[in-house]
Every structure is written in C-alpha cells, then in structure tokens.
Amino acid sequence: MPALAYVDTPFVPTGYAFSGDGSLPTAGDVFMPASPTSAAAVVDSSCRWSSSRSSSLYRIDGWGAPYFIANSSGNISVRPHGSETLPHQEIDLLKIVKKVTDPKSSGGLGLQLPLIVRFPDVLKNRLECLQSAFDFAIQSQGYNSHYQGVYPVKCNQDRFVVEDIVKFGSPFRFGLEAGSKPEILLAMSCLCKGNPDAFLVCNGFKDAEYISLALLGRKLALNTMIVLEQEEELDLVIDLSQKMNVRPVIGLRAKLRTKHAGHFGSTSGEKGKFGLTTTQIVRVVRKLSQSGMLDCLQLLHFHIGSQIPSTALLSGGVAEAAQLYCELVRLGAHMKVIDIGGGLGIDYDGSKSGESDLSVAYTLEEYAQAVVASVRFVCDRRSVKHPVICSESGRAIVSHHSVLIFEAVSAVKPMAHHANPDDIQFLLDGEEARAKYEDLYAAVMRGDHESCLLYVDQLKQGCVEGFKDGVLSIEQLASVDGLCEWVLNAIGAADPVQTYNINLSVFTSIPDLWGIDQLFPIVPIHKLDQRPGARGILSDLTCDSDGKIDKFIGGETSLPLHELDNNGGGGGRYFLGMFLGGAYEEALGGVHNLFGGPSVVRVSQSDGPHSFAVTRAVPGQSSADVLRAVQHEPELMFQTLKHRAEEVMQTKGGSDEGEEEEDDDEFNNVAACLDRSFHNMPYLATEPASPCNSLSAAISNLGFYYCDEDGGFDYLSA
C-alpha cells in the first residue's frame, strides 16, 4: 500500500474560531472542527491498479505458486495441475462460489458459507511432484533403491482426501501412516483398494488391540509395519504375533540428538515425546535376537519436527539416522527401510526464509536431493546396501488442495465523534482544564506532533476522571472525544483500521491461528483489479475476544481490504479466502459457540464452459448436528419448545373463532421457525430466508450431491 499522507508542518485548523493576534484563546474562542477529513483517507492514486499489483501486495506469487494466481478479471484462479496447467484449465474461485451459493432455482446448489473447496487435481499434482523429486534425486545420484512415501492421515482424515491419495499414489506404491486405532482401521480399509506393496506405517501409543489390528493387517495381505514408540510395546508385539501366528514387520522410532529449534521441533531431540534412546534400541535388538525375531526388525523411523526450515538441519538429522540404520545392520537386523518422518515444509508467507516457522529455504527438489545424498553418503561409507526411503509428508501433500472461503458481512469503521461547542465550553471554565486545553491548542498551532499526543492523552484522562466523579455529562465527554479525534486525524496519528465482521468461527475453521499463532495467507478472492481502500482486522462470530485475526503474513497487523458496499449488505458481497489450510485445520476444529463445520465441495478440472465440475457437495453442519455433538437431543428440545408454545397459546386463549384461528396460525409459525432453526447452519444467513418445510430441510442436511454419469448434478439422500 502507498504511504498515507499526513500533516507535518504548522497549520491553522480551518473551521475554528481563535484570536486573530495569535494569543491564546479566551472563553469565546473555543475552536471546533467544521467537518474535518481524516488524513488516513488521503491515498496516493497516481498509479492505476491492476491484478498484478494485488499479487505483489498479497504475496500471491510467493506462497501461491504454482497453484494460485490473480487473473485478469481480478479474481483468484486455481491452477489445478500446477506449472503444467494450461490457460483454459484455470478455475476461477469466484465462479465456484457463485455456483455453490446461488439458489437451486437459478442453477446453483443453494449451499451456505463458510465453504471449503477441495481440488483433487491439486492433491494429485502434489503427490506426483513429491515422487518425481525423489525419483530424479535417486537417478541423478546413482542411488540403488527407491522412494516410497506414506501420507499421515492425522493431517486430514476426510474419507475422500484419504481415498484420493491412495488412488493417485497407487502407481508408485504410496501408502498411509496411522497413529491411533480409528486411523489404522480407516487406513486398512482404504489400502484394500491401493497398491499391495504400499506401506501402512503404524505409529503412536499402542495397546494389545492396536497391535492385533496391525498384525491382522498382515493376515489381510496389507504391508503393515509396527513402529515401536516405547520399549514396553515390544513384549506385546512378540506375544501377540506368536498367538496370532503372524510374522510381524517391526520398526524402531529413534530419538535423535539432532534438534529442530523452531516451534514445530518441540518433539525432537533426546527429550522428545516419542522414540527410543540408543540404550533402549540396544535392549530391543537383544530381546528380538533372543526371541528369534531379529529378522523382523526392518525399519528405522525418526522425526525431527514439522516444517523443517533448512536443508542443513535436514541433512544433519538424516545423516545421524543413517548411522543408526547402519549400526542396526551391523547388529544383525534385516533392515530395509529408513523412514525420515514428516518435516517437509511449505512457504506460508512467500518469503523463502529459513529463519521462520512460516517458511522454508528450499524447494521440493532440493529437499529430496538433501535426503538422498545424506543416506547415500553414510551407507556407502559403511558399505551398507541403500535402503528404501520413506517419508511422512502430510503438510506438504494436502495443504494446497483446500481453500476456505468466507464472507465479510459488515465493517466497523473508527467512530466519528462530533463535538458540540456548548458542551466543550467547560474546558475554559476551570483553571486545570483550561491549562490542558491551552497546551493542546498551542501544540496544534505549531504542529508539534509529540506534544499533541501527550496533551490529548492528558485531556482525555482528566475528563474521564471528571465523568467518573459525576462532574461531566456524557455529552461533554463525547465532545471531548470529538475534539481529540480531530487533532489525531489532523496530525496523522489516528488509527484508520476497520474491523471486518466475518461469517466464520476462527476456533472451528482456523484453530492453529488461535492455538499456536500459525498464520495463513488470507486474500480477497475477487476485486483484485481494484485498489484496496482500507485496512482491516477480521472479527469472527464467536462471543470470545480471541475470535479475531489481527496478525497476517509479512508481519502485518492489518490487511489491505476493499470498502464494503452498503456496509456489506445488498449492494454486493465480499468474499475472502484462507489458503494453505488443508492440513490439520479440519482435524483440529471444535464446536466453540456451537458453530459447526463449513459446507464442503469437491471441484475437479473439466473441459466444460467454466473449466470445472463440482463432483460432490455436502452442506455444513446444522444446529441440530452440533447440539448432538455435545450430548443434547434436538428432537426432544424441539418437542419441549413446541409444548411450551402450546401452553402459552392456551393461556392466551382467544375468545371467538377468529382469534382461535389467529392463535393456531401463530403457533404453526412458531413451530415452523423452531424447526427451521434446528435444521439450518449456525452461521449468519446473508441472503433472505426462503420458506421451507421441515422435511425438505431435514433431507437437505442429511444428504449430499454428486455428479451423475451424464455430467449432471443430482441429489442423493444419506
């Protein structure tokens, strides 16, 4: 944004009365603004605005490459195939929003915001790019094995996300990683349709049931690998594998000395939450040898933290792990796989920096080269056969494929106080108040900014104390606020930031922002060919002071935004997108204030007129859905309220036939209103509500849409 102009020379404030000889004011000389113009409104408009300027302003070319661009229409476009996307294949986000939110009578889907838009083509591209990067590194360095990754389902357990990854990854044996019993169940189920050689890496704390499930997976011809996180898990594995007559494949998670110093490295190092120390590893090897199962030990796993910032840190950790791998080979284990865990980072702010939790100083290709080089160097020096390289790169795989779209429904501008000369006359009546006023007046006349700020603060504090003591009226206090605000505007010290109220729950949809100060790119998805004329922070719907976004990428405390039409109503809607949130945010979101999950659509690139097809659409959770999540029973609640309405109507009791009919109509309206409220989404309805009966509302919230064989869009009830 261009710098905002402000007054920096002595001036005579127009619209104010004062003594012509320059002396200090008398009782009749109280100066009052006529209609001051905020200095914040003065913007350099010498340059014509364009989408490319918005791209630079919001850093879209940095964090968005190669999947998001600002198109010539001023909207965000998705490039579903990354750098290989052809111009006619780009998908305009605003067109998706229109298709999804337009009423069914107009050919839309009639869904409500907020909205998650998933792009399976982007998911496919991320998998292919990851595989290609490792394939190239392996070939170029003469590495004598292959790369075979897994997706940690904890990043996003949505059925269609996991199924897509299994399907897209099948040609290169891409597998899954699970960390709990429900996750291993869904992973086993999904991998039944995947490549039989794909790994199912079983991490996390384990009990007998968990280990039995993993062993059962081997009976079902799934390539399950049990990774020991704690030494005592080994006894369960040995005992249960013998009882179930299954030869397990066992891995060890090692606690490396290499430590990631950033926020995401808290689980790394010797004091990390998971893994075995060198002493414990030696004991595990001895126990397996004594049990005749040392050949079952085939995998070494480690994790030095998510969002690894540099290849130097990565190479150090991989080299240390490779030494452990070679030692396990020396001790007689039949090692085959080194699992380098997660850590492949993404660039949230477009800075390409290795000094921040929000960015990384390497490309996908450089990451793969560093891993392969470190493993190859150590193994060659120790004359150990090159292992299969596995990684658990969840964040890098799913972050880009999902966009959260929400609406700014209103904006709160800094209040303009209008001072009344009669109400401010008291400033000259008392000795102390007059002295403060005269100091402020003199500072204004000479353009002394620092003194103006000091005297404004002193004047306001003194008047607040007077109001608390009952000496000043509310009108007088308001007029003092108006005077002080004018002074701050005149010297360019007023805060021009607006508060944009967004139809969203930060706690439900962006929990990492609230919980760990994780920042995500937030950008208007349209109007990018227009100059943003305001700066704003975002305030969500929740009744919580933390439900706001006042930190943005680039170290900004406000976001350049466009003025809302008619304060957000009627004249036009204003849509914002949060990007790179496909990992963790959906899995972590709760039901704070009972705001449920958003609507979700799945959009694929097609050769149709709009370059896309919505292949699946699910309405967001209704009020009834989130009430059930916290053990309430919406059906009983509805009956209770309906019964109360009947009682009230009976007490009211119409005396003639006409009044009885009116009471019946009122009761039916109350019941219908309650019924709709249970079945509608908890978020604000930004369009006028349309009448609907309870059956259609209930069905609408139980079913989903799908694309039929003819390319049409049909509705399927649950």
Side-chain angles (χ1 to χ4, degrees), residues 29 100 218 539 680 712:
D29 293 332
V100 169
R218 295 206 70 79
S539 177
N680 286 340

Side-chain angles (χ1 to χ4, degrees), residues 689-708:
S690 58
C692 63
N693 60 55
S694 60
L695 178 61
S696 64
I699 291 176
S700 174
N701 283 279
L702 286 173
F704 59 86
Y705 299 90
Y706 71 101
C707 187
D708 62 24

Side-chain angles (χ1 to χ4, degrees), residues 559-627:
L559 188 68
L561 295 169
H562 304 85
E563 295 281 0
L564 297 187
D565 295 334
N566 295 330
N567 203 31
R573 304 176 69 179
Y574 193 49
F575 301 109
L576 302 168
M578 187 206 81
F579 296 80
L580 309 186
Y584 296 109
E585 301 315 292
E586 293 176 58
L588 292 173
V591 289
H592 185 277
N593 260 173
L594 297 189
F595 285 108
S599 303
V600 181
V601 296
R602 191 171 182 269
V603 176
S604 294
Q605 187 266 319
S606 76
D607 295 328
H610 297 303
S611 303
F612 71 90
V614 180
T615 57
R616 182 178 176 83
V618 182
Q621 289 178 298
S622 67
S623 294
D625 293 331
V626 291
L627 285 166

Side-chain angles (χ1 to χ4, degrees), residues 433-461:
R434 180 184 178 88
K436 291 178 179 178
Y437 172 79
E438 290 174 349
D439 288 340
L440 176 59
Y441 181 90
V444 169
M445 294 303 294
R446 65 176 182 269
D448 185 344
H449 295 178
E450 293 296 325
S451 295
C452 281
L453 293 175
L454 174 64
Y455 297 144
V456 160
D457 184 63
Q458 290 178 350
L459 179 61
K460 292 186 75 170
Q461 288 300 319

Side-chain angles (χ1 to χ4, degrees), residues 63-139:
W63 56 260
Y67 300 107
F68 305 103
I69 62 168
N71 64 32
S72 57
S73 299
N75 305 331
I76 294 285
S77 278
V78 179
R79 307 180 75 228
H81 311 299
S83 57
E84 302 298 317
T85 304
L86 300 175
H88 73 276
Q89 295 174 324
E90 294 176 0
I91 302 172
D92 191 312
L93 267 181
L94 189 63
K95 291 181 180 179
I96 295 176
V97 173
K98 179 174 174 57
K99 171 69 176 177
V100 169
T101 60
D102 276 357
K104 296 176 187 176
S105 59
S106 303
L109 305 183
L111 296 186
Q112 186 180 338
L113 297 182
L115 172 73
I116 289 176
V117 185
R118 293 203 180 104
F119 297 94
D121 295 312
V122 172
L123 202 58
K124 183 174 186 287
N125 185 263
R126 293 299 292 172
L127 279 169
E128 291 172 345
C129 288
L130 177 62
Q131 185 70 38
S132 177
F134 272 99
D135 286 347
F136 179 78
I138 284 168
Q139 183 180 6

